[in-house]
Amino acid sequence: MEFVRLLLVFLHLLGMGMLVAMFFLQLRAGSDAPLNKGWLHGGALQLLTGLALVALSPLTDKDYNHVKIGVKLLVLVVILGLAFVYVRKPAAPSWAPRALAGLVVLNVGVAVFWT
Ligand code: HEM
């Protein structure tokens, strides 16, 4: 079971890397570009791996802080909501990539500093 947990953490960290990469791709694409679908894919990966880690916690002997998980989930719902709305528009507003990246960094901070 420990291997499954580590595999999920591995994918969870790759998902985080993907969201960070989306920010730089978005900068390169320019201000009149649509929002990259990768925001949705990276966010979905974070959601699935995060939920799986929590669901498996009785088997992996991990006791996660549920308030912390709730905050991370809420921040991710905002990320996915923004991505879902703006991925359909022909051009994303200039604040959207910065807001999304800020929320990703906020979740990394919550993950690391909230013990
Ligand atoms: C943008 C969204 C997210 C980012 C950037 C993110 C980032 C991270 C990072 C960097 C870690 C490693 C921290 C450490 O080991 O000290 C982590 C761990 C974890 N995350 Fe997330 N996370 C996100 C969303 C979520 C969501 C939505 C959930 C649950 C629904 C979740 C559940 C977890 C759990 C349970 C761990 C601990 C894994 C373990 O060490 O066993 N995460 N996250």
Side-chain angles (χ1 to χ4, degrees):
M1 253 317 160
E2 180 60 4
F3 176 73
V4 176
R5 186 184 74 83
L6 291 176
L7 189 63
L8 287 169
V9 173
F10 174 74
L11 293 172
H12 199 66
L13 294 178
L14 285 182
M16 174 188 69
M18 187 173 172
L19 289 172
V20 174
M22 281 314 127
F23 176 64
F24 292 106
L25 276 183
Q26 203 71 54
L27 283 189
R28 207 176 60 168
S31 56
D32 52 352
L35 203 65
N36 196 311
K37 280 199 185 74
W39 289 104
L40 280 178
H41 300 155
L45 184 58
Q46 290 309 84
L47 183 65
L48 291 177
T49 52
L51 287 176
L53 280 164
V54 177
L56 289 178
S57 62
L59 302 175
T60 54
D61 283 335
K62 285 279 167 185
D63 192 14
Y64 298 123
N65 178 338
H66 287 100
V67 183
K68 168 181 167 173
I69 298 295
V71 170
K72 286 182 73 181
L73 191 56
L74 192 70
V75 173
L76 185 63
V77 165
V78 177
I79 292 173
L80 284 172
L82 281 175
F84 195 72
V85 168
Y86 287 111
V87 93
R88 290 146 184 267
K89 311 254 181 202
S94 60
W95 55 265
R98 276 177 281 133
L100 287 166
L103 290 167
V104 171
V105 172
L106 175 65
N107 251 3
V108 176
V110 170
V112 172
F113 293 110
W114 191 336
T115 48

